[in-house]
Amino acid sequence: MCGIVGAVAQRDITPLLLEGLKRLEYRGYDSCGIALHKNGELIRSRSTARVTELKKQVEHANFSGFTGIAHTRWATHGKPSNDNAHPHFSRGRIALVHNGIIENHDELRAELCGFGYVFESQTDTEVIAHLVDYLYQGDLFEALQQAIKRLRGAFAIAVFCRDEPHRVVGARRGSPLVVGIGPNEHFLASDAAAIAGTTDQIIYLEDGDVIDLQLQHYSIVNAEGNSVQRQINTVQTHCIAADLGPYRHYMQKEIFEQPQSIGSTLEGITHVTPELFGRTAGNVFNNVNSVLILACGTSYYAGLTAKYWIESIAKIPVQVEVASEYRYRDSVPNLASLVVTISQSGETADTLAALKHAQSLGMKHTLTICNVATSAMVRECELAYITRAGLEVGVASTKAFTAQLAGLFLLTLTLAQSKHQLSEEREHYHLKAMRHLPIAISAVLALEPQIMAWADQFARYENALFLGRGMHYPIALEGALKLKEISYIHAEAYPAGELKHGPLALVTKEMPVVTVAPKDALLEKLKSNMQEVRARGGELYVFADANSNIESSEGVHVVRLPGDYGYLSPILHTVALQLLAYHTALVRGTDVDKPRNLAKSVTVE
């Protein structure tokens, strides 16, 4: 979601900025733009097409410059259009890009209109550009420091000025921003991947920091306005591999990478130990008596699955909260609770805010399950488990989600061990099952041809129901989310036992019902729920375990997963549901990797 790249150098930075935008495309965007300082003036180009089209425009106009900024925008205020695309100018003097949301933009807009400023867009970002211009008295660094004092909300900002040709200034509050250090050149980006290959010397700005980048030096002030030094990290960043190999989309590639990503996430783990989560984890786990999980979207469903695991195996009560709601209600904090955040990017704004709210209530024991070791979430939490799913390009999460589940199952076993609920025999049993996961997932992937046949039928529907029971209910939720994200079919999920309490009214032959049917203690009850569907003429599409004794018949379509994997069954059923969503979207002809209105990394509230 929204990407920033900026640079000040002694060489033409146009190719660098465009390549940076290209590397940020996976985050999702609906417009893009670039602004440069050239011959004493500000020049820019903007597009509502892809970065490749922007590049053509720039090349046609013969753009070049030593100082500049570029941006990919995901629309919040104002529809996708050239006027609303970043960078925004103010009086031909200030060029500015922004990630985030400014909550008091209306009152600032009215004030600036009173000073004679004319607005060309519906964005909240243009307000910042005009405010910086209004406050500018020859020192851009000072003007931005003064401007952000007037802003309410979250932001990452990059700005440069016509009158200071070798300077880029930035600021962050609640949205990520990193600095790249090079010889006689400096860079600014919302993600270190944007400047990969240009420098590996990275500074992660902290909340409230304002950065002044010039050719031969940089300086940082904190939220209090005091000069500070931030640690320079050597980061082995990498760009997105362009080679799809035999796959049509990144999402398909990432589905098929799951044996590898799960194997990498579990690599080297031969026994359960608290140190997997951090040096102080043993002491923390011994002193907590409950778990609070904070997450959004797909990660929230991972948390719901973990609730079943932790309460069943570790015998510890678990509360799972939608992060975007948690901090806006009165809750009763348990200071002996372990606060667990789950995030693919580690920059999810709602989850970061919920974490800080929990900390403000006195809950100091924090742990994150995250796929990015250098992210804000990891830096904010006391403990961490870094999944090794690798970079995920498709907006709809696949391998990152199953890697989260693997990390959460390890957390379950570790908590169980700390509470004396895990015998050595059971530890050995569970770890053996986890080590077998890559092979088991490969067997599920081999079912792709059968699921493709389902997708041909599924693509004609506009609505679908998903059912699951117990720890497979969250997997039904995840399956419904995947289908709606990329195929645009309206899909909802319910605990199967709730079917007769309302949703059954929707069941007709035009409402397919996808059922997650593992061989577990609830299978017979699930079969009764399936009969309720058939009695109303509903079509059932059943993902069953090998020995669940559910047979195909008229109106009942069965894909049989190999084996019976007990507690780890949710991971295998997830893979099957991902394939169904992917191939259904393929038949419907949607943009699988970049579905409409969505972004990969949600860095605004």
Side-chain angles (χ1 to χ4, degrees):
M1 175 179 287
C2 295
I4 290 173
V5 194
V8 53
Q10 293 177 315
R11 55 178 168 138
D12 180 18
I13 60 168
T14 312
L16 185 150
L17 296 181
L18 291 170
E19 177 61 23
L21 293 189
K22 191 73 178 171
R23 293 176 181 178
L24 295 176
E25 280 193 300
Y26 76 97
R27 297 164 69 99
Y29 68 105
D30 44 49
S31 62
C32 51
I34 184 173
L36 296 157
H37 192 288
K38 184 176 183 180
N39 299 328
E41 299 295 333
L42 303 185
I43 58 173
R44 74 177 163 186
S45 182
R46 298 181 289 182
S47 174
T48 55
R50 293 300 181 193
V51 172
T52 51
E53 180 60 32
L54 177 68
K55 183 179 180 182
K56 292 177 184 177
Q57 293 177 195
V58 166
E59 290 173 347
H60 180 74
N62 196 28
F63 271 29
S64 64
F66 300 151
T67 302
I69 52 179
H71 191 263
T72 52
R73 175 180 185 253
W74 186 80
T76 55
H77 296 72
K79 65 182 181 181
S81 69
N82 271 10
D83 286 341
N84 289 330
H86 300 205
H88 289 286
F89 282 4
S90 180
R91 294 182 172 176
R93 181 168 67 171
I94 298 296
L96 184 142
V97 295
H98 157 239
N99 292 352
I101 291 177
I102 304 304
E103 296 171 357
N104 60 332
H105 68 98
D106 281 336
E107 61 190 73
L108 289 172
R109 181 184 290 258
E111 180 181 340
L112 290 161
C113 284
F115 295 142
Y117 285 90
V118 177
F119 285 79
E120 299 176 351
S121 76
Q122 290 79 50
T123 67
D124 53 344
T125 300
E126 193 179 1
V127 168
I128 313 172
H130 292 321
L131 181 60
V132 171
D133 182 80
Y134 174 70
L135 295 169
Y136 182 72
Q137 296 182 353
D139 187 333
L140 185 62
F141 190 43
E142 177 64 27
L144 185 58
Q145 289 180 70
Q146 294 303 314
I148 63 174
K149 292 178 182 177
R150 300 287 311 278
L151 305 179
R152 293 201 308 269
F155 53 76
I157 296 167
V159 55
F160 73 100
C161 178
R162 177 195 63 199
D163 302 337
E164 299 181 69
H166 297 292
R167 193 180 205 185
V168 172
V169 176
R172 68 151 296 191
R173 182 196 299 161
S175 194
L177 199 62
V178 304
V179 177
I181 307 298
N184 297 318
E185 57 185 19
H186 294 99
F187 312 95
L188 205 58
S190 51
D191 188 323
I195 50 178
T198 303
T199 179
D200 62 358
Q201 301 297 292
I202 302 294
I203 295 173
Y204 296 95
L205 296 179
E206 297 187 8
D207 235 29
D209 282 355
V210 186
I211 179 80
D212 180 12
L213 297 180
Q214 300 188 44
L215 282 174
Q216 297 182 349
H217 72 275
Y218 66 91
S219 59
I220 304 172
V221 298
N222 62 16
E224 288 72 43
N226 300 319
S227 180
V228 293
Q229 297 291 322
R230 300 295 186 211
Q231 180 179 344
I232 300 176
N233 304 272
T234 300
V235 178
Q236 299 303 315
T237 52
H238 59 281
C239 59
I240 299 167
D243 183 16
L244 283 171
Y247 304 106
R248 294 182 62 177
H249 298 91
Y250 280 109
M251 182 177 180
Q252 186 188 26
K253 180 174 184 270
E254 288 154 7
I255 290 171
F256 276 82
E257 286 175 342
Q258 287 175 110
Q260 176 186 345
S261 61
I262 291 289
S264 297
T265 295
L266 303 176
E267 186 177 1
I269 298 173
T270 58
H271 61 282
V272 173
T273 172
E275 285 68 33
L276 291 170
F277 298 88
R279 185 174 50 83
T280 62
N283 184 57
V284 171
F285 293 165
N286 286 334
N287 287 284
V288 298
N289 59 18
S290 67
V291 176
L292 169 64
I293 297 176
L294 305 171
C296 298
T298 288
S299 296
Y300 173 70
Y301 299 148
L304 289 178
T305 308
K307 175 182 172 70
Y308 285 93
W309 285 339
I310 295 171
E311 292 193 341
S312 177
I313 298 173
K315 311 301 182 186
I316 301 173
V318 179
Q319 180 182 355
V320 187
E321 294 269 0
V322 175
S324 59
E325 292 291 322
Y326 171 67
R327 66 187 173 117
Y328 293 116
R329 68 174 184 83
D330 292 330
S331 58
V332 181
N334 175 8
L335 303 191
S337 185
L338 176 66
V339 179
V340 177
T341 63
I342 311 171
S343 172
Q344 299 163 40
S345 67
E347 305 289 351
T348 309
D350 286 320
T351 309
L352 279 167
L355 169 65
K356 292 176 181 178
H357 177 67
Q359 290 170 327
S360 73
L361 296 176
M363 288 186 278
K364 64 179 182 178
H365 299 308
T366 58
L367 181 152
T368 189
I369 305 289
C370 183
N371 197 43
V372 182
T374 56
S375 64
M377 203 78 71
V378 174
R379 297 195 302 274
E380 290 286 339
C381 284
E382 181 181 12
L383 306 173
Y385 188 82
I386 309 301
T387 57
R388 300 186 185 95
L391 185 61
E392 191 177 64
V393 180
V395 166
S397 180
T398 52
K399 63 177 181 175
F401 175 72
T402 52
Q404 286 174 350
L405 290 176
L408 287 163
F409 194 72
L410 277 176
L411 175 62
T412 298
L413 298 182
T414 309
L415 288 171
Q417 183 188 71
S418 71
K419 302 303 179 186
H420 308 292
Q421 298 292 334
L422 185 69
S423 68
E424 186 174 334
E425 180 183 0
R426 293 303 291 174
E427 175 188 351
H428 176 75
Y429 170 82
H430 287 307
L431 287 179
K432 181 180 179 181
M434 294 190 80
R435 285 192 291 271
H436 190 66
L437 271 174
I439 296 172
I441 292 171
S442 296
V444 176
L445 293 171
L447 300 172
E448 186 180 33
Q450 297 178 52
I451 297 172
M452 289 171 66
W454 278 14
D456 287 335
Q457 303 173 58
F458 233 82
R460 68 181 180 85
Y461 296 114
E462 293 301 326
N463 301 281
L465 288 176
F466 284 67
L467 302 178
R469 298 204 73 145
M471 63 185 176
H472 291 83
Y473 164 53
I475 302 309
L477 286 166
E478 171 64 10
L481 177 63
K482 282 293 157 288
L483 188 70
K484 70 181 93 173
E485 278 181 314
I486 62 170
S487 75
Y488 313 146
I489 293 173
H490 173 246
E492 298 296 333
Y494 291 91
E498 285 295 294
L499 193 63
K500 57 186 172 293
H501 296 292
L504 198 57
L506 297 172
V507 172
T508 69
K509 64 180 181 180
E510 293 303 315
M511 176 71 81
V513 180
V514 179
T515 307
V516 182
K519 179 73 166 63
D520 61 16
L522 293 171
L523 179 61
E524 293 306 316
K525 293 187 180 297
L526 181 63
K527 288 180 179 178
S528 297
N529 302 138
M530 291 164 57
Q531 289 302 316
E532 293 166 0
V533 172
R534 285 299 302 131
R536 275 77 180 177
E539 293 275 319
L540 282 164
Y541 293 81
V542 185
F543 288 107
D545 282 353
N547 54 355
S548 60
N549 297 320
I550 299 174
E551 302 298 332
S552 296
S553 59
E554 183 181 357
V556 181
H557 314 277
V558 179
V559 166
R560 206 170 299 284
L561 275 63
D564 171 10
Y565 283 86
Y567 282 111
L568 296 176
S569 172
I571 295 176
L572 303 184
H573 282 274
T574 293
V575 175
L577 291 168
Q578 292 169 352
L579 287 170
L580 176 62
Y582 171 74
H583 284 290
T584 301
L586 209 61
V587 175
R588 288 171 69 95
T590 60
D591 190 342
V592 173
D593 285 335
K594 300 183 180 71
R596 68 189 182 202
N597 305 332
L598 299 180
K600 184 64 180 170
S601 179
V602 186
T603 55
V604 298
E605 184 178 354

